[in-house]
Amino acid sequence: MKLIFLGAPGSGKGTQAEVVTNKYGIPSVSTGNILREAVKNGTKSGLEAKKYMDAGDLVPDSVVIGILKDKIAGDDCKNGFILDGFPRTVAQAEALEEMGVEIDKVVNISVADEKIAGRMGDRRVCQDCGASYSVTYKPPKAEGVCDSCGGKVAQRDDDKPETVKSRLAIYHDKTAPLIGFYEKRGKLVTVEGQEEIADTSKLVFAALE
Ligand code: AMP
């Protein structure tokens, strides 16, 4: 099964991708997590990506497409995968088609803009494994410590209020057109993001049946 999770930053797509990963046993591929890891390790693509990420801008298509292509060619992706945060532009979606990747479904998690800032202020992420948490809805069992790997859980720099506004504007400009792109191909299912993670998961599983 090959799935795409689409949605604004802070819509909960990463959290839902993790839930579906656990149930279906297919890996979730987050380009954001791969890029943050590359920045941490100081690799060539990490160094190139950092200035865009810090500003809340999209990393150039050429960099992200290359990273994604390498990742899904890996053995762990041979039975399927969930793409979380890719594609984010029509050019990326076209590149995926050119790679010959047949997507089964695109789950679009819809959340009103007014709710996004609050959700992003609430979000915390493990700096080692990328697992997502929420101060209100899904705090780690021990404060600041990842339940899965024991890594440090903290707020992402680009989740701070000054960056959130521009990330949302970029989402509407560059990423939201993908809703129509996949609708035309008959792949799109839209789920209204709920307050509680488990309530959204129920809708996501129903949409995947
Ligand atoms: P995310 O964790 O998905 O919110 O991604 C964090 C940041 O990584 C984004 O704000 C972008 O700067 C960059 N990024 C992640 N995925 C992509 C992508 N598919 N295309 C361009 N930039 C990306």
Side-chain angles (χ1 to χ4, degrees):
M1 176 134 65
K2 296 189 178 102
L3 304 173
I4 291 173
F5 274 45
L6 205 62
S11 60
K13 63 183 185 315
T15 302
Q16 294 303 327
E18 282 171 26
V19 173
V20 174
T21 286
N22 292 336
K23 178 150 173 184
Y24 290 174
I26 48 173
S28 151
V29 174
S30 156
T31 41
N33 282 352
I34 297 172
L35 287 166
R36 276 185 289 280
E37 187 69 20
V39 170
K40 204 167 74 184
N41 294 333
T43 66
K44 189 167 161 268
S45 53
L47 292 175
E48 199 176 339
K50 187 176 183 326
K51 56 180 184 290
Y52 298 99
M53 296 173 77
D54 286 348
D57 287 338
L58 294 184
V59 174
D61 287 335
S62 56
V63 177
V64 186
I65 290 167
I67 287 176
L68 192 273
K69 200 171 177 180
D70 289 349
K71 179 68 192 168
I72 62 175
D75 233 25
D76 57 331
C77 288
K78 68 176 190 296
N79 294 326
F81 46 76
I82 303 167
L83 300 185
D84 160 22
F86 186 99
R88 255 185 166 93
T89 62
V90 170
Q92 291 178 16
E94 287 169 349
L96 203 54
E97 290 187 340
E98 279 157 25
M99 287 175 217
V101 175
E102 269 284 338
I103 296 296
D104 297 295
K105 268 188 187 168
V106 178
V107 180
N108 173 40
I109 302 191
S110 170
V111 174
D113 279 8
E114 305 78 70
K115 291 192 180 161
I116 293 285
R119 281 171 169 244
M120 284 166 91
D122 227 37
R123 173 157 68 179
R124 299 293 180 271
V125 170
C126 173
Q127 297 190 329
D128 286 340
C129 75
S132 333
Y133 295 92
S134 151
V135 175
T136 311
Y137 297 107
K138 189 192 167 193
K141 291 191 183 87
E143 203 185 323
V145 181
C146 179
D147 295 348
S148 318
C149 78
K152 185 176 171 212
V153 173
Q155 186 173 39
R156 280 167 43 178
D157 282 340
D158 63 346
D159 276 351
K160 299 198 168 141
E162 52 282 17
T163 326
V164 166
K165 230 174 138 183
S166 74
R167 290 175 67 202
L168 206 47
I170 290 170
Y171 164 77
H172 284 294
D173 185 33
K174 301 270 170 45
T175 308
L178 291 174
I179 295 173
F181 182 95
Y182 286 115
E183 207 162 31
K184 255 191 224 146
R185 285 157 175 74
K187 307 274 185 196
L188 192 84
V189 284
T190 292
V191 163
E192 292 294 327
Q194 308 292 308
E195 290 293 319
E196 295 286 341
I197 295 169
D199 292 338
T200 308
S201 300
K202 274 188 206 142
L203 299 176
V204 168
F205 285 124
L208 290 177
E209 270 171 11

